[in-house]
Amino acid sequence: MTTTQPAPAPKTTEYAARIEKVRAAMAAQSLTALVVTDPSNLFYLTGYNAWSFYMPQCLIVPADGLPHLFARAMDAGGAHHTCDLPRERIHGYPEELIQRSDAHPYEWIAERARELDLLQDAPGCRIGLESDSPFFTARDYLALDRGLPRAEGVDCNELVNWVRVIKSPVEQEVLRIAGSIASQSMRVALEAIDVGRRQCDVVGEIMRAQASGTPEHGGDYPAIVPMLPTGDAAGTPHMTWSDAPFVAGEATTIELAGVNQRYHAPLARTIMLGEPPQRLAETAKVIGEGMQVTLDAIHDGVTGREVHAAFNDVISRHGLRKDSRIGYSIGIGYPPDWGEHTISLRASETQPLRAGMALHVILGMWMDGWGYELSEPVLVHADGVERLTDLPQDLTIRR
């Protein structure tokens, strides 16, 4: 029997290059070590991939020397199956430290890291911390600080996230695969939504499509579940689903992602069950024009502010206004988010876009009691963008 093999993960040489880029960024911040806790960054630097991020875990990258992974003992034992690190550089803290009020894993991690000379507890030592990561809690910080009372813990300002922002050729190819899965999953969603069908049943079909992927490439679980606010709720983003049936005369906005090897290609579309009201039909037309202008504006060297201005010029001519950003960088994702927390497409963004960046351009219009969403995942090239999906950008109407 022939089985389809997964696409190859980045090779060891790619991980080594990523570590060196991180070290260069550490040197620019005068860091003696970096404690990496975001699972997307752990995956980027080592390939480690497991549903273990609800417990304390980290990669410690010293300014000199080799990085080491620290995780719960039961997770560390099998980490080498996905992690591009030898077993001797993967350490498991004792199970007896799990969820206790009188002890904490980061106290053990700090002690072990000092023994390995990964972290130094001395004045002048600056240890970079991912302070805004959902996976580095206040208790984590306090426990690490108790173990390193003389060293200085500093916010690293999303150091690894910014290293990740330019995608290598290997990463770009995986994103293309994710885009094909996003297209297939959205086709399933648009075909499944119909009057009388329960929302939860449709989501079941979407999730199956996301996991199954395409005949060529399997899918993966997304960092965010499918979102499909319907009817009056369509005026609010980030709503999920219920067991209520879809109703004639209502619109539903759908936002989902195709995922391959943890790389995400988010995608949004809108479907109307019945004849669309004039305001929705007109908004869809304006946003379609805005999407084309926005994609035409993106290229190497343009700023997020300039891209946002191009879109805003279109919608303002039609009396529309959008206060939220219209895009952000994407790549590797773990719950609860698929964004990279770096560059955004908004009026205040002066950072230039660069070839190799991946963006989710999302033009969501959320009004009082109704809404419209249209989005595209794209790769930035020197002279323009490459769409990662191939679906029409029109409002879908089921009469």
Side-chain angles (χ1 to χ4, degrees), residues 311-330:
F311 169 75
N312 194 58
D313 182 61
V314 172
I315 66 169
S316 62
R317 293 200 308 266
H318 296 276
L320 295 176
R321 174 180 172 179
K322 179 173 170 59
D323 294 327
S324 58
R325 62 183 180 173
I326 64 169
Y328 50 84
S329 60
I330 53 172

Side-chain angles (χ1 to χ4, degrees), residues 25 49 68 83 123 136 148 157 159 168 175 182 224 233 248 280 284-285 290-291 318 339 342 345 363 378 396:
N49 182 21
H68 288 241
C83 189
F136 189 63
L148 300 163
N157 299 306
L159 184 152
S168 70
L175 278 165
I224 302 175
L280 179 61
K285 183 177 179 181
M291 176 63 79
H318 296 276
T342 51
L345 303 180
L363 309 182
V378 300
T396 298

Side-chain angles (χ1 to χ4, degrees), residues 27-46:
Q29 294 190 29
S30 301
L31 299 180
T32 54
L34 178 67
V35 180
V36 180
T37 55
D38 189 319
S40 295
N41 292 338
L42 295 179
F43 181 84
Y44 178 76
L45 295 175
T46 72

Side-chain angles (χ1 to χ4, degrees), residues 268-287:
R269 291 292 186 271
T270 304
I271 181 170
M272 177 70 201
L273 298 179
E275 194 67 30
Q278 183 178 2
R279 63 185 181 183
L280 179 61
E282 291 178 351
T283 297
K285 183 177 179 181
V286 172
I287 297 305

Side-chain angles (χ1 to χ4, degrees), residues 209-390:
Q210 289 175 304
S212 299
T214 67
E216 296 79 19
H217 302 285
D220 202 344
Y221 67 89
I224 302 175
V225 298
M227 296 178 286
L228 58 165
T230 187
D232 290 345
T236 304
H238 306 146
M239 306 290 281
T240 55
W241 65 86
S242 72
D243 61 356
F246 291 98
V247 178
E250 291 187 347
T252 299
T253 61
I254 310 162
E255 187 174 356
L256 52 78
V259 189
N260 184 261
Q261 299 181 60
R262 302 311 314 149
Y263 284 81
H264 284 59
L267 183 64
R269 291 292 186 271
T270 304
I271 181 170
M272 177 70 201
L273 298 179
E275 194 67 30
Q278 183 178 2
R279 63 185 181 183
L280 179 61
E282 291 178 351
T283 297
K285 183 177 179 181
V286 172
I287 297 305
E289 178 186 350
M291 176 63 79
Q292 189 58 56
V293 168
T294 299
L295 297 184
D296 288 345
I298 295 175
H299 58 80
D300 182 88
V302 70
T303 65
R305 171 189 292 176
E306 291 169 315
V307 175
H308 183 273
F311 169 75
N312 194 58
D313 182 61
V314 172
I315 66 169
S316 62
R317 293 200 308 266
H318 296 276
L320 295 176
R321 174 180 172 179
K322 179 173 170 59
D323 294 327
S324 58
R325 62 183 180 173
I326 64 169
Y328 50 84
S329 60
I330 53 172
I332 302 166
Y334 282 84
D337 190 15
W338 56 47
E340 285 189 322
H341 302 186
T342 51
I343 199 162
S344 293
L345 303 180
R346 55 188 170 195
S348 60
E349 182 64 80
T350 58
Q351 182 79 21
L353 304 181
R354 293 302 179 199
M357 288 184 177
L359 304 171
H360 182 208
V361 179
I362 178 161
L363 309 182
M365 303 297 294
W366 299 288
M367 309 299 189
D368 184 15
W370 66 283
Y372 181 78
E373 285 191 42
L374 173 66
S375 83
E376 291 291 344
V378 300
L379 283 171
V380 180
H381 295 302
D383 55 356
V385 297
E386 173 189 349
R387 284 182 58 188
L388 298 175
T389 61
D390 60 0

